[in-house]
Amino acid sequence: MATQAHRNGSLSAVSLQGFVLVGFGGGVETQALLFAVFLVLYVVTVLGNLTMIVIITLDAHLHSPMYFFLKSLSFVDLCYSSVIAPKAMSIFLSSSKVISFAGCATQFFFFSLLVTTEGFLLAVMAYDRFMAICSPLRYPVTMCPMTCARLVLGTYCGGCLNSIVQTSLTFQLPFCSSNRIDHFYCDVPPLLRLACADTALNELVMFGICGLIIVSTTLVVLVSYGYITVTILRMRSGSGRHKVFSTCGSHMTAVSLFYGTVFVMYAQPGAVESMEQGKVVSVFYTLVIPMLNPLIYSLRNKDVKDALRRLGQKHSLVRDGGQ
């Protein structure tokens, strides 16, 4: 049966049995340390992004396009770290480290969808700041609630399209050489190494689509912030210039971290071969960046600090009234 499946170019016996996620090397102590590190990163990620979502939802002062996009970013970060971290932590403590074929395909699909969505969303956020700073009079009309909702929906549609293409191309390959994925989650580069068929098309599609997405979204970001920088330098108000620079600086930090690590992993020749480097880079954009985003956007943000204080005061009043 397995031979016939392989001859037909469909799923091989290895695929049907599932895969083994190798994760990182090392003994029991190393695996326990990795579990602890991943747990801390994931808990901080969940708390930080949930806090941002709750604050922006409950505080009417934050019901603006910029915070609508920030809430969307927090939701995406929360989801895609949740697609990776729990399974990764389970393999650190498990001796089998097995993931089923369907589980691997599902994890890959949602990870690809959410990471691509985040890339498009960061470009949309840059465009939003461009409209707010460079065309403030037209901003309320241009970035109305319906437009914002459509832009976010568009980021998910783009992410879904890329994910469908990548998933269908990757999981139609016959995996007959081994079932050991040299990674801590299911991703394109380590899966392509297990295929016993020509993967040139898959690699071309991966580099092509990822390169196109990264180049196009980076171009939107650079052009937007280029115009923003020129507009800021023309401002007469020193305090206004500082506030805008502070906001845009945090955005640029998040964008640079995300695009830089994704480019290293997917959009450069030789990325498929450098798996040890890939694992470290993957930890950065699957857990570290989703953890940092709420801190980058909120720690130096006066509006978010004020919203937190107002929510704290409301909670105190309710508690005192109940007593």
Side-chain angles (χ1 to χ4, degrees), residues 98-171:
V98 172
I99 184 170
S100 68
F101 182 83
C104 187
T106 302
Q107 185 187 56
F108 175 80
F109 176 84
F110 283 105
F111 173 69
S112 180
L113 185 156
L114 293 163
V115 169
T116 309
T117 299
E118 173 144 343
F120 285 125
L121 190 56
L122 290 170
V124 167
M125 290 169 66
Y127 174 72
D128 170 69
R129 291 299 82 209
F130 161 73
M131 291 303 300
I133 294 165
C134 300
S135 301
L137 297 178
R138 292 169 52 197
Y139 180 69
V141 177
T142 307
M143 301 301 288
C144 65
M146 182 61 72
T147 300
C148 294
R150 285 173 178 168
L151 285 170
V152 170
L153 180 61
T155 65
Y156 279 97
C157 289
C160 191
L161 182 62
N162 178 47
S163 185
I164 289 171
V165 171
Q166 300 281 7
T167 306
S168 59
L169 279 175
T170 302
F171 286 89

Side-chain angles (χ1 to χ4, degrees), residues 22-84:
V22 174
F24 294 89
V28 176
E29 295 82 2
T30 304
Q31 299 302 310
L33 177 62
L34 284 167
F35 175 84
V37 170
F38 271 58
L39 180 62
V40 170
L41 290 174
Y42 182 57
V43 168
V44 175
T45 298
V46 170
L47 292 177
N49 285 290
L50 275 179
T51 301
M52 287 291 287
I53 292 169
V54 169
I55 291 171
I56 294 170
T57 302
L58 296 181
D59 195 292
H61 294 83
L62 301 182
H63 291 178
S64 66
M66 183 178 86
Y67 289 103
F68 173 73
F69 294 131
L70 274 176
K71 183 167 77 169
S72 301
L73 180 68
S74 289
F75 178 74
V76 171
D77 280 339
L78 181 63
C79 289
Y80 94 72
S81 59
S82 297
V83 168
I84 303 299

Side-chain angles (χ1 to χ4, degrees), residues 31-301:
Q31 299 302 310
L33 177 62
L34 284 167
F35 175 84
V37 170
F38 271 58
L39 180 62
V40 170
L41 290 174
Y42 182 57
V43 168
V44 175
T45 298
V46 170
L47 292 177
N49 285 290
L50 275 179
T51 301
M52 287 291 287
I53 292 169
V54 169
I55 291 171
I56 294 170
T57 302
L58 296 181
D59 195 292
H61 294 83
L62 301 182
H63 291 178
S64 66
M66 183 178 86
Y67 289 103
F68 173 73
F69 294 131
L70 274 176
K71 183 167 77 169
S72 301
L73 180 68
S74 289
F75 178 74
V76 171
D77 280 339
L78 181 63
C79 289
Y80 94 72
S81 59
S82 297
V83 168
I84 303 299
K87 184 61 182 178
M89 288 187 290
S90 73
I91 70 167
F92 295 147
L93 298 182
S94 170
S95 58
S96 66
K97 305 181 186 297
V98 172
I99 184 170
S100 68
F101 182 83
C104 187
T106 302
Q107 185 187 56
F108 175 80
F109 176 84
F110 283 105
F111 173 69
S112 180
L113 185 156
L114 293 163
V115 169
T116 309
T117 299
E118 173 144 343
F120 285 125
L121 190 56
L122 290 170
V124 167
M125 290 169 66
Y127 174 72
D128 170 69
R129 291 299 82 209
F130 161 73
M131 291 303 300
I133 294 165
C134 300
S135 301
L137 297 178
R138 292 169 52 197
Y139 180 69
V141 177
T142 307
M143 301 301 288
C144 65
M146 182 61 72
T147 300
C148 294
R150 285 173 178 168
L151 285 170
V152 170
L153 180 61
T155 65
Y156 279 97
C157 289
C160 191
L161 182 62
N162 178 47
S163 185
I164 289 171
V165 171
Q166 300 281 7
T167 306
S168 59
L169 279 175
T170 302
F171 286 89
Q172 72 176 359
L173 291 169
F175 301 105
C176 52
S177 58
S178 171
N179 69 339
R180 294 173 65 81
I181 298 175
D182 188 16
H183 216 312
F184 58 91
Y185 67 96
C186 294
D187 200 9
V188 176
L191 281 166
L192 293 186
R193 298 180 74 185
L194 301 184
C196 53
D198 184 14
T199 61
L201 176 63
N202 299 72
E203 292 181 34
L204 183 64
V205 169
M206 182 181 75
F207 294 139
I209 293 180
C210 293
L212 179 63
I213 291 171
I214 291 171
V215 169
S216 60
T217 51
T218 302
L219 197 60
V220 170
V221 170
L222 291 177
V223 171
S224 297
Y225 282 109
Y227 276 106
I228 288 169
T229 302
V230 172
T231 304
I232 292 171
L233 293 174
R234 290 175 178 171
M235 288 181 176
R236 295 181 180 179
S237 168
S239 60
R241 190 184 300 132
H242 174 74
K243 182 180 179 182
V244 175
F245 257 130
S246 177
T247 302
C248 293
S250 64
H251 286 206
M252 280 303 294
T253 302
V255 168
S256 301
L257 287 170
F258 180 79
Y259 285 133
T261 51
V262 170
F263 178 83
V264 167
M265 190 64 190
Y266 299 107
Q268 61 166 341
V272 174
E273 284 76 27
S274 54
M275 287 315 306
E276 288 307 314
Q277 177 199 35
K279 290 180 194 178
V280 177
V281 174
S282 296
V283 172
F284 207 80
Y285 69 76
T286 55
L287 284 170
V288 176
I289 291 176
M291 178 192 71
L292 289 177
N293 277 345
L295 304 177
I296 289 170
Y297 287 116
S298 62
L299 275 182
R300 297 172 60 193
N301 191 315

